Amino acid sequence: NLREHGSELADFPYPSRLADPLYRQACWGFVTRWQNDRAYKHAYLRLADELQIRYDLTRWAVGLPHSVGLTLRATFVNVQEALWTHVEQCLAGLETEDEWRNWLQGHDGPIGARADDFWAREGRDPGWRLLVLARDLLTAIQGVRRQLDRWTKPGELLRDYSERWYCIDQDYRRLREALDAAPRAHDRLRERCARSYGDILRRLNDRFCALLEDEATWPPQGLPAQDTFWADVLAARGRGQRIAVILVDALGGNDLVTVGPT
C-alpha cells in the first residue's frame, strides 16, 4: 500500500508484501480511512511503529529518484525521516534567495502534500511544514521586489502594503514561530529567510523615504489622515475610563511600542 507503481520499482525490497495491482487503490483507501479515524488511528500508529522495524524501507526510500521519493504517500515515519535526509542534501546546495525560492516553488505540490499528510498532522513532521512557510515568504518577498520601482507616490506604497504586502510580516512571524518550536535547528533555512526578510524591509523603508522626499507638498497627498484619531478615542471613552494606546512602527522591522494613559 505504499504507492500504485511500487512493484514496478525493481529494487523494492519486499515485493511479495505488495497487494496485487487490482487491489492497491482499495488498500490505500482503507489505510487512509484508518489514519483519519479518531477512534482507531492510535492503533495504526502503534502498528506502523512496529512494522517499520520489521520492514525497513529507509534505504530504498533514500535511493529513489527525487521526483518519485517526494510523492510517496504517508506510510512509516522512518520513511519520512529518510526522505527528509534526502531533501536536506538538496537544500545544502542552495545559496542565493533565487535558488531557494526556485527549488521550493519547483517542488511545491509534493512538499505541500507531505506537510499536510498523516505524520505531519500527528506532530512527527521533520520539516515539511517549514518548507511551505519558507516558500510563501520568499514568494511574497519576490513580489515586493518587483513592485518597488513601480510605486511613484508614498500613498500608493502604503495602500498596497496595507492591502496585500503586509503578508511578508505575517509569513515571517509564522515561520519564525515554527522554527522556534521545531525539534531541529534548521539553521540554513532560518538564516536564508531572515536575510531575505531583513533585506526587503530595508528596501521598503528606503523606497518609502525616497518617495516622501520627492513630494512637493506636505503632508503628501494620498496618505491616510489621522487628525480625528484622538477625538474618536475620547468620544468612545467612558467617564473615568483609562485607555492604553499602542503605536507600532510596522515598516521598521523593529516594533516601537508606546503605551500611555489618556
Side-chain angles (χ1 to χ4, degrees):
N1 61 6
L2 279 172
R3 183 173 170 82
E4 290 80 354
H5 60 248
S7 63
E8 298 171 13
L9 300 171
D11 59 347
F12 185 73
Y14 308 104
S16 64
R17 307 306 299 173
L18 289 172
D20 291 337
L22 177 64
Y23 304 110
R24 286 180 197 162
Q25 191 60 43
C27 287
W28 183 252
F30 170 74
V31 171
T32 302
R33 292 193 301 273
W34 190 3
Q35 290 175 338
N36 293 329
D37 191 292
R38 293 184 179 180
Y40 297 104
K41 72 175 181 179
H42 298 291
Y44 179 86
L45 288 167
R46 176 177 56 81
L47 289 173
D49 285 341
E50 295 175 0
L51 290 172
Q52 71 177 1
I53 299 174
R54 186 185 308 174
Y55 303 104
D56 187 359
L57 298 174
T58 55
R59 183 178 300 179
W60 171 76
V62 171
L64 288 173
H66 195 67
S67 59
V68 175
L70 279 179
T71 59
L72 283 179
R73 292 174 173 175
T75 51
F76 299 150
V77 73
N78 63 355
V79 173
Q80 286 272 54
E81 294 285 346
L83 293 173
W84 179 255
T85 300
H86 187 51
V87 167
E88 283 188 316
Q89 296 172 355
C90 296
L91 298 180
L94 305 178
E95 294 295 339
T96 68
E97 179 184 307
D98 287 345
E99 290 175 348
W100 277 86
R101 184 182 59 255
N102 291 337
W103 191 91
L104 292 170
Q105 291 177 344
H107 299 84
D108 177 61
I111 289 174
R114 302 202 75 80
D116 193 40
D117 74 9
F118 174 71
W119 294 109
R121 296 195 302 271
E122 290 301 310
R124 300 170 75 172
D125 175 8
W128 305 103
R129 178 59 179 164
L130 296 174
L131 296 183
V132 171
L133 294 172
R135 177 207 63 199
D136 292 344
L137 173 65
L138 296 180
T139 299
I141 287 174
Q142 181 190 35
V144 176
R145 290 188 197 282
R146 292 174 173 173
Q147 183 65 38
L148 280 173
D149 293 335
R150 301 176 185 176
W151 284 311
T152 59
K153 299 290 182 180
E156 296 174 357
L157 189 155
L158 286 182
R159 181 200 63 222
D160 290 349
Y161 189 87
S162 63
E163 293 179 355
R164 180 179 182 186
W165 296 120
Y166 69 90
C167 67
I168 63 173
D169 300 311
Q170 288 186 335
D171 290 342
Y172 183 66
R173 184 180 69 251
R174 290 168 181 159
L175 174 61
R176 188 174 59 185
E177 291 172 352
L179 284 166
D180 291 342
R184 311 180 189 202
H186 300 284
D187 291 334
R188 296 189 73 254
L189 178 66
R190 182 189 295 269
E191 179 186 9
R192 173 68 270 162
C193 292
R195 288 175 58 187
S196 295
Y197 178 66
D199 178 73
I200 198 60
L201 288 186
R202 286 189 294 272
R203 290 174 180 265
L204 275 169
N205 280 333
D206 292 344
R207 183 59 178 162
F208 185 59
C209 290
L211 292 175
L212 287 176
E213 292 174 355
D214 291 341
E215 283 291 292
T217 60
W218 191 263
Q221 295 181 354
L223 295 184
Q226 297 293 342
D227 54 347
T228 63
F229 174 77
W230 289 110
D232 294 340
V233 169
L234 292 176
R237 184 181 63 169
R239 184 174 182 180
Q241 179 185 10
R242 296 171 67 85
I243 298 176
V245 178
I246 302 177
L247 306 177
V248 180
D249 175 17
L251 287 177
N254 296 314
D255 290 342
L256 175 64
V257 178
T258 304
V259 179
T262 61

